[in-house]
Amino acid sequence: KEAYLQFPLTLDYNTILNMLSRLELGDIDGTGTAIGNALGRSIAGLKDSEAKTRIVILITAGDRRGGNISPKQAAALAKDFGTRIFPILVGKEGVALKPAGRGLISGRMRFEEQEIPVNPELLKEIATITDGTYYRATDKKGLEEKLHGILDRFDKTRVQDTTNVEYEDLYH
């Protein structure tokens, strides 16, 4: 429903893993999918990069159902900045379990069935506009294979860590 930055671009993998480990189902509002806004945020973060290759891997479980930037507008902007988008549609079409809150007594996450709208045609169009490739993954192994396939195709550029560190000598 909203696109937000979970953590800034950093090389501190322990921080990333720690923050990801704290995420739980239901932390992110699943009533919408702001694909255009998410792409816009990604493109803004890459536009000033001096890397030879700029790519965005969009992992989504559905169709655009929120946001104020259309995915096609974001794809056109990505193309202008020389950024390729590789959309990966995850999951299967049809009914899926959606978090429905926590039980009052148990505190455990409850789930309810919900029809999940998907739009592979939109994702294929985004890929085409930006010279990327559309992928479909129906399980964890498939997603891992798609991610590795994309990442192995491109040169790696070491990014400068954006974490601010100030050193102060506290010894005599």
Side-chain angles (χ1 to χ4, degrees):
K1 188 172 173 181
E2 299 289 332
Y4 62 93
L5 187 63
Q6 181 66 32
F7 39 81
L9 185 61
T10 182
L11 297 175
D12 186 352
Y13 298 115
N14 288 328
T15 297
I16 293 170
L17 292 173
N18 187 22
M19 292 178 81
L20 287 174
S21 72
R22 288 192 225 151
L23 284 176
E24 293 185 20
L25 284 175
D27 285 351
I28 299 171
D29 185 350
T31 61
T33 307
I35 292 173
N37 290 41
L39 290 174
R41 257 194 205 274
S42 300
I43 295 159
L46 291 172
K47 72 177 179 136
D48 296 326
S49 171
E50 295 178 15
K52 289 185 248 177
T53 304
R54 284 180 272 192
I55 66 169
V56 171
I57 300 173
L58 171 68
I59 302 173
T60 180
D63 189 8
R64 176 192 181 202
R65 295 177 287 144
N68 56 2
I69 300 172
S70 92
K72 292 178 188 177
Q73 287 174 318
L77 188 63
K79 184 173 180 69
D80 291 344
F81 286 117
T83 302
R84 296 168 70 179
I85 300 173
F86 294 83
I88 303 175
L89 180 60
V90 295
K92 299 176 182 171
E93 293 181 53
V95 177
L97 293 176
K98 171 190 155 224
R102 298 201 175 272
L104 294 174
I105 297 171
S106 70
R108 295 177 59 195
M109 186 62 72
R110 293 181 304 109
F111 297 90
E112 60 186 29
E113 290 187 346
Q114 178 182 1
E115 184 74 30
I116 304 295
V118 297
N119 190 345
E121 299 309 314
L122 172 64
L123 300 178
K124 289 175 187 175
E125 190 170 353
I126 290 169
T128 300
I129 291 170
T130 64
D131 296 324
T133 305
Y134 163 79
Y135 296 95
R136 182 80 189 252
T138 56
D139 59 21
K140 180 182 175 185
K141 183 179 179 202
L143 177 60
E144 288 174 353
E145 288 173 358
K146 304 301 188 259
L147 284 170
H148 287 293
I150 294 167
L151 295 174
D152 290 344
R153 288 174 48 189
F154 297 99
D155 294 330
K156 286 21 169 220
T157 300
R158 190 91 171 151
V159 296
Q160 182 174 350
D161 196 341
T162 58
T163 307
N164 293 326
V165 178
E166 293 183 26
Y167 294 95
E168 181 180 345
D169 191 357
L170 297 176
Y171 188 70
H172 301 305

